[in-house]
Amino acid sequence: MSAALLKPARERGRLAPIKFAHAVLRTRQFQTMVNWYRTVLEADIQFENDFLAFLTYDEEHHRIAIVARPGTAERPPNSVGLDHLAYSYADMGELVATYERLKAAGIMPERTINHGPTTSMYYKDPDDNRVELQIDNFDTAEECNAYFYSEDFSSNPIGVLFDPEELAAKYHGGVAVADLKKRGYLKLPEESLSGQPAR
């Protein structure tokens, strides 16, 4: 496979969707989940009753729906299914500001990792669904696609854990964003990787 094959499917003659529209989450703690997603995504409620809410943060009528369906059961730990939802921010300043805003609200990431293509912070919602807040580390899609074929990525396709407090401090201290985005520039001690999930 080459980077040329990574053109959008429609440009390659496929009748693929034009966009990803929304995700729907079932819950047994309706208002807690609605409040969490409103806080994390700075979302507005398009519609809400006592068992259903549609939330959006952009031009789409809803990006997340939360539903309290009767009979919903707790999910067993490590069960199959969707691993996480991911949301991109415009730049490092937005990612750091979001980290600091959520920290002030008592919401902390469970894991922070520079994957190479992205700098990512993973959070768990009240139902233990994971949400990734990220920025792209490359200026162009071509650079990012090429990185997937690099030895650096193939030798470690997961990435390097980092301390979000160190990232914020260095960002506010004036360290070049290009350096902060480099995988391995910020790195926790190797022993901190033990017991971490694979992705």
Side-chain angles (χ1 to χ4, degrees):
M1 183 182 287
S2 71
L5 293 176
L6 296 177
K7 288 182 180 178
R10 283 183 168 247
E11 289 182 20
R12 290 180 277 135
R14 298 180 180 178
L15 191 57
I18 59 171
K19 65 181 177 181
F20 181 84
H22 63 265
V24 179
L25 301 172
R26 284 178 300 199
T27 186
R28 293 174 58 169
Q29 42 186 343
F30 177 72
Q31 201 58 58
T32 301
M33 286 282 282
V34 171
N35 293 342
W36 193 88
Y37 278 91
R38 285 188 72 192
T39 299
V40 171
L41 301 180
E42 294 212 287
D44 295 309
I45 294 178
Q46 287 282 74
F47 172 84
E48 181 179 15
N49 61 21
D50 58 351
F51 66 89
L52 179 63
F54 295 123
L55 290 80
T56 190
Y57 50 80
D58 63 6
E59 72 286 345
E60 186 72 9
H61 46 79
H62 71 287
R63 289 296 184 183
I64 288 281
I66 298 174
V67 60
R69 185 179 294 166
T72 297
E74 295 294 331
R75 183 178 56 213
N78 297 317
S79 57
V80 299
L82 182 70
D83 186 77
H84 65 275
L85 301 171
Y87 299 90
S88 292
Y89 287 84
D91 55 38
M92 183 66 76
E94 289 191 1
L95 186 67
V96 169
T98 299
Y99 163 73
E100 292 171 335
R101 177 179 63 82
L102 294 178
K103 178 183 174 184
I107 300 173
M108 293 294 291
E110 61 144 359
R111 189 160 173 259
T112 52
I113 186 164
N114 185 318
H115 292 293
T118 65
T119 297
S120 302
M121 299 190 186
Y122 291 84
Y123 293 80
K124 278 193 175 179
D125 74 14
D127 283 344
D128 280 342
N129 301 301
R130 291 202 307 161
V131 172
E132 177 184 3
L133 306 182
Q134 67 173 35
I135 58 166
D136 291 328
N137 286 338
F138 292 95
D139 293 331
T140 68
E142 291 78 15
E143 290 175 283
C144 184
N145 289 338
Y147 181 76
F148 278 94
Y149 297 93
S150 70
E151 174 59 31
D152 189 47
F153 187 74
S154 64
S155 67
N156 177 3
I158 304 305
V160 178
L161 299 173
F162 67 88
D163 179 351
E165 281 296 304
E166 183 183 7
L167 173 67
K170 288 187 181 292
Y171 174 79
H172 291 305
V175 173
V177 170
D179 288 335
L180 294 175
K181 288 181 173 182
K182 289 178 185 172
R183 187 160 83 162
Y185 181 82
L186 299 175
K187 185 177 181 181
L188 291 173
E190 288 301 319
E191 60 268 23
S192 69
L193 294 169
S194 63
Q196 290 289 327
R199 60 182 187 279

